[in-house]
Amino acid sequence: MSGFGHYERTADELEREIVKRGIAIGIDWQDQARMRELARRALSCTSACMMKLLRSPVRQEKLTGELFALSELMLQNMRQSAEIGVHTHGGRAWKAFGRALYEEYDAGVRRPEAES
């Protein structure tokens, strides 16, 4: 990687998309219990689970799958920027969901080993 990336712009774009999905599925970003429940679901969702959500004809399920996929992209963007010494972060929605993801991960929530 050249070290020149548009990580902050990517984070802003991802944040906007995360917020849109959150609004559509009725997320209150300040509801820590809801954030932790979503984080548990995201962390334990296997590849098959993700595809099922993304392909679901049920709008809420599809949007939830998209939220989970966007969170993966945000984590990847942050990880890549950190590798070259660039501190990248999202906005309020991402911080709320990201914090819940880290809390649930620290609590031991993981994808089943066969599907990692």
Side-chain angles (χ1 to χ4, degrees):
M1 182 171 286
S2 70
F4 183 81
H6 299 284
Y7 299 109
E8 196 64 39
R9 185 179 65 211
T10 299
D12 290 344
E13 291 169 0
L14 289 167
E15 172 80 11
R16 270 192 305 280
E17 295 305 314
I18 287 169
V19 168
K20 287 179 189 176
R21 271 55 173 200
I23 290 169
I25 58 179
I27 294 176
D28 173 358
W29 300 105
Q30 295 179 357
D31 181 348
Q32 292 180 358
R34 173 69 193 251
M35 291 292 95
R36 295 280 302 258
E37 184 270 327
L38 276 171
R40 263 190 304 281
R41 286 185 61 202
L43 290 171
S44 62
C45 192
T46 63
S47 298
C49 163
M50 183 69 77
M51 292 310 298
K52 182 179 177 184
L53 287 171
L54 291 170
R55 292 179 176 158
S56 176
V58 178
R59 185 170 186 264
Q60 294 291 96
E61 290 178 5
K62 183 177 179 102
L63 291 168
T64 299
E66 291 174 2
L67 174 67
F68 293 171
L70 289 164
S71 71
E72 293 274 345
L73 291 173
M74 182 68 90
L75 288 169
Q76 182 180 30
N77 184 55
M78 293 170 67
R79 188 172 22 254
Q80 287 175 347
S81 71
E83 288 173 359
I84 62 165
V86 175
H87 178 72
T88 304
H89 58 84
R92 270 187 19 188
W94 169 251
K95 287 178 183 172
F97 192 48
R99 181 174 29 257
L101 286 167
Y102 285 116
E103 288 170 353
E104 287 301 308
Y105 186 84
D106 286 346
V109 178
R110 307 283 192 284
R111 285 188 177 99
E113 289 298 319
E115 284 282 335
S116 294

